[in-house]
């Protein structure tokens, strides 16, 4: 999976910041790493560098996911790190919503058929006890 970090002109795009963003994103999509092919992170200062505020920093994440439309989430906060963490949490939730149900269906479908057949056979053969 590829992670690309872009910043606006008010954010210092240092290597340490990029490594931090990559690590947070990789943790956020870990469960769905097989389906997520690419994540773009867009970091920005909403009000410009000379003004502050409670929601001054923005992190927008766009994940490309196999078999699903792109997933885009955004979070604004008072600091860049809080914006990144908030967006990563939203991305995890969005992936869970988009992909979790399909994973659950696949697990239930694969397990239910065989398990049900085995239980039915044992019931027919009188091998199961009421314990």
């Amino acid at each position: 999976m590829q992670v690309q970090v872009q910043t606006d002109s008010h954010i210092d795009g240092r290597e340490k910041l990029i490594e931090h963003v990559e690590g947070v994103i990789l943790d956020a999509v870990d469960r769905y790493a097989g389906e997520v092919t690419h994540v773009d992170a867009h970091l920005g200062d909403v009000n410009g560098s000379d003004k502050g505020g409670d929601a001054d920093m923005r992190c927008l994440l766009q994940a490309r996911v196999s078999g699903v439309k792109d997933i885009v989430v955004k979070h604004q906060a008072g600091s860049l790190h809080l914006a990144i963490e908030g967006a990563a949490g939203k991305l995890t939730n969005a992936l869970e919503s988009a992909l979790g149900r399909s994973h659950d269906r696949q697990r239930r479908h694969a397990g239910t058929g065989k398990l049900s057949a085995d239980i039915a056979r044992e019931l027919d053969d009188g091998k199961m006890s009421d314990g």
Side-chain angles (χ1 to χ4, degrees), residues 3 34 38 49 51 59 71 76 82 109 111 128-129:
V3 176
H38 187 95
S49 61
K51 294 182 183 178
C59 177
I71 295 175
Q76 289 183 215
L82 289 175
H109 179 69
M128 289 196 68
S129 63

Side-chain angles (χ1 to χ4, degrees), residues 21-41:
V21 172
E22 288 174 348
V24 170
I25 290 171
L26 291 174
D27 286 345
V29 303
D30 183 50
R31 182 173 175 196
Y32 302 104
E35 288 96 347
V36 178
T37 60
H38 187 95
V39 178
D40 286 321

Side-chain angles (χ1 to χ4, degrees), residues 104-120:
D104 287 344
R105 261 186 257 120
Q106 290 171 355
R107 279 192 293 269
R108 271 189 248 123
H109 179 69
T112 304
K114 181 168 178 14
L115 181 61
S116 297
D118 290 344
I119 290 173

